Each structure stands twice: as C-alpha cells, then as structure tokens.
Amino acid sequence: MQLLGGMILSLGWIPQIARILKTKSVADLSLKSYLLMLLGIALMEAYAVNLTLTGAGLAFLITNTLSLCVVSAVIVLILRYAGRSKG
C-alpha cells in the first residue's frame, strides 16, 4: 500500500512537468513553495535512508527518492523558464 500510494503521489507531478514543457510557462508557480517541498522531502529522504539501513522502509525510500527527483525537475524548470512570456 505504501509503495502504491507513494508511486501515485510521486507520479502525480508528471502532468505539471509536461505542462511546463509544453507551454514553457511557469508564471503561476511559486518557486518558494517548491523549495519548501524539496526541503521537506529531503528531510524525509534522510529518514528513509536511516529506515532502510536498519532493514525497513525500502518502499518509503524508493517513493521518496522518486518524489525528490520530480520536485527537483519542477524547480529546474521554474528556474529555466522564469521570466519568459508565454508562447
């Protein structure tokens, strides 16, 4: 259940990434919000690594790492397209 739920939450960012790539617009996205999410996920990642090293939490580590990657991708896209007009 955790693996399935985590995968759904992680992959839920893919439509946002696809939209950014299609429109090349990030005007309505908040960099600060995504940076705070990244910080929270990074802290949970440290906890997931600790759990995995003690023999539990591999599913949490996998899904959390995926979330870290996709939120990082959104941040990179925000930085890349910030200030550009739509079109």
Side-chain angles (χ1 to χ4, degrees):
M1 290 295 226
Q2 193 282 325
L3 186 59
L4 180 60
M7 293 296 287
I8 291 168
L9 286 172
S10 299
L11 296 176
W13 295 102
I14 301 300
Q16 182 68 67
I17 292 169
R19 179 134 178 111
I20 293 169
L21 292 170
K22 180 181 178 182
T23 65
K24 296 187 179 10
S25 174
V26 293
D28 294 331
L29 300 180
S30 168
L31 178 60
K32 290 178 186 177
S33 292
Y34 281 93
L35 288 172
L36 285 172
M37 283 188 273
L38 184 68
L39 176 61
I41 294 169
L43 292 171
M44 291 189 333
E45 183 77 354
Y47 178 63
V49 168
N50 184 47
L51 281 178
T52 303
L53 291 175
T54 62
L58 182 60
F60 182 48
L61 178 64
I62 292 168
T63 58
N64 202 67
T65 301
L66 183 57
S67 291
L68 194 63
C69 292
V70 293
V71 169
S72 295
V74 173
I75 290 170
V76 168
L77 291 171
I78 290 172
L79 293 173
R80 180 176 180 185
Y81 293 121
R84 288 189 182 190
S85 61
K86 188 175 179 180

